Amino acid sequence: YFLNRDVVRAGPWKLMLKARVAVGPKAGKLPLLFHLGEDLGETENVAEQHPEVVARLKAAVQAHRRDLRDHSRPVGKTLPAKDAPRVLILGDSISMGYTRHVQDRLGWEMHVTRALSKNPRTGKMQYENCAGTDKGIAALGRWLEQSDDGWDVIHFNFGLHDLKRVHPDSGKNSNDPSHPRQSELDEYEFQLAAITDRLLATGAKLIFATTTPVPEGVRPLRDVADAERYNEAAKRVMAARGVTINDLYEVALPRLEKLQNRRDVHFNAQGSRALGNQVIQA
């Protein structure tokens, strides 16, 4: 019986070529050999007294390692049926964080993808940050064309980039509270409505995810209260069109200290899984 690549049990013998813990009775020179028939608590290393057993079991471990190396194969995945629902995720970097979790959980029954773009350096396709509604207006056609067969479900969100401060001349990110937002509230609502109408025209079921909470002191500057203000505007747009709301803001808010990075709009691994679970339920 092999444990990992470094421990083997054969009859009463247990050989450890590596030890995760080297304290107490197990401390000492490797390898460690124990006779479990006489020493179940593994208190006495008898490797020096039984070199022939060490040599035999060490050879078995080495053969086991070669066998794993020579006959290993990629981890298998169960692919969804060709006619399974096609799901498109559109959103900012927060959605990039939970997309992989959603794909891992739903990938056997649905075709789940997100907005993609080509990496200019490698030429490979990669997750794309859909950013704000201004980019959404410009790039929506390209994202929708990723499937020749259209989409059954589109889960989308815009807002986190719209409410950040930008320099009025260069348009670059800013930490100055006197500078305008990337899209002021009325412009955001107008542009989000245009995006939603275009998505509705695809015939897909739409699910809109609210903007997640913004912590104090984040850079580039975002006002904490703006997340709620922009979400209220988004909810008006969706209510007028009968679009389902996935309220990620309310899901994240009570557990921000555990789920969100400090002074950062992004979420840790636990947070991304929690958001992803909410997306899966929606």
Side-chain angles (χ1 to χ4, degrees), residues 1 3 6-18 26 31-37 39-42 44-47 53-54 56-58 61:
Y1 173 79
L3 176 63
D6 306 305
V7 181
V8 60
R9 167 78 185 271
W13 298 106
K14 178 178 178 181
L15 179 71
M16 302 174 67
L17 298 179
K18 290 184 180 180
K26 294 185 182 180
L32 303 177
L33 180 68
F34 302 106
H35 191 290
L36 301 184
D39 180 22
L40 188 59
E42 301 178 13
E44 182 182 2
N45 180 11
V46 294
V53 177
V54 171
R56 175 168 58 86
L57 296 185
K58 185 175 181 180
V61 170

Side-chain angles (χ1 to χ4, degrees), residues 7-280:
V7 181
V8 60
R9 167 78 185 271
W13 298 106
K14 178 178 178 181
L15 179 71
M16 302 174 67
L17 298 179
K18 290 184 180 180
R20 294 179 181 273
V21 180
V23 295
K26 294 185 182 180
K29 184 180 178 181
L30 291 170
L32 303 177
L33 180 68
F34 302 106
H35 191 290
L36 301 184
E38 301 174 356
D39 180 22
L40 188 59
E42 301 178 13
T43 61
E44 182 182 2
N45 180 11
V46 294
E48 292 185 358
Q49 295 95 304
H50 300 279
E52 75 289 350
V53 177
V54 171
R56 175 168 58 86
L57 296 185
K58 185 175 181 180
V61 170
Q62 292 170 339
H64 176 61
R65 290 172 177 171
R66 288 193 298 271
D67 182 65
L68 290 176
R69 182 185 66 243
D70 296 341
H71 299 94
S72 64
R73 54 196 172 99
V75 175
K77 288 187 176 181
T78 302
L79 299 178
K82 186 176 181 180
D83 60 349
R86 298 172 298 277
V87 181
L88 175 64
I89 297 177
L90 302 176
D92 50 43
S93 54
I94 307 301
S95 74
M96 293 170 71
Y98 60 65
T99 293
R100 184 66 65 192
H101 180 66
V102 176
Q103 289 176 323
D104 289 343
R105 290 281 302 277
L106 295 181
W108 64 276
E109 59 179 330
M110 300 179 181
H111 299 281
V112 182
T113 187
R114 66 163 292 116
L116 300 172
S117 62
K118 183 179 290 186
N119 185 308
R121 184 176 59 85
T122 65
K124 296 182 179 180
M125 299 303 289
Q126 63 184 16
Y127 287 175
E128 182 171 1
N129 188 335
C130 299
T133 53
D134 49 357
K135 180 178 180 179
I137 292 286
L140 191 58
R142 172 168 57 83
W143 296 331
L144 293 176
E145 290 173 356
Q146 287 180 199
S147 170
D148 294 333
D149 299 320
W151 303 98
D152 297 296
V153 179
I154 300 177
H155 187 281
F156 69 112
N157 79 284
F158 292 94
L160 191 62
H161 281 255
D162 293 270
L163 54 81
K164 70 181 179 182
R165 303 295 175 136
V166 296
H167 193 281
D169 298 324
S170 67
K172 293 183 178 180
N173 294 343
S174 171
N175 298 321
D176 189 336
S178 68
H179 286 167
R181 297 164 181 82
Q182 181 171 296
S183 298
E184 293 296 343
L185 188 59
D186 57 346
E187 183 182 17
Y188 166 75
E189 188 167 353
F190 176 82
Q191 292 182 155
L192 182 61
I195 291 171
T196 306
D197 287 340
R198 192 168 177 187
L199 292 176
L200 284 169
T202 68
K205 173 179 174 57
L206 303 188
I207 303 173
F208 179 81
T210 54
T211 294
T212 48
V214 175
E216 291 279 3
V218 71
R219 295 292 184 269
L221 179 64
R222 292 173 170 91
D223 294 342
V224 173
D226 275 350
E228 287 193 70
R229 294 173 61 239
Y230 277 60
N231 281 336
E232 288 304 314
K235 289 177 181 179
R236 289 195 295 270
V237 171
M238 303 307 149
R241 292 159 175 78
V243 174
T244 300
I245 297 286
N246 186 8
D247 204 339
L248 297 186
Y249 180 92
E250 292 298 331
V251 170
L253 188 62
R255 298 185 287 164
L256 273 188
E257 290 188 2
K258 290 185 177 180
L259 303 183
Q260 194 174 51
N261 299 326
R262 294 188 61 187
R263 301 184 68 179
D264 189 343
V265 296
H266 298 100
F267 289 75
N268 57 33
Q270 180 183 357
S272 290
R273 287 193 300 271
L275 295 178
N277 288 336
Q278 178 63 25
V279 173
I280 291 166

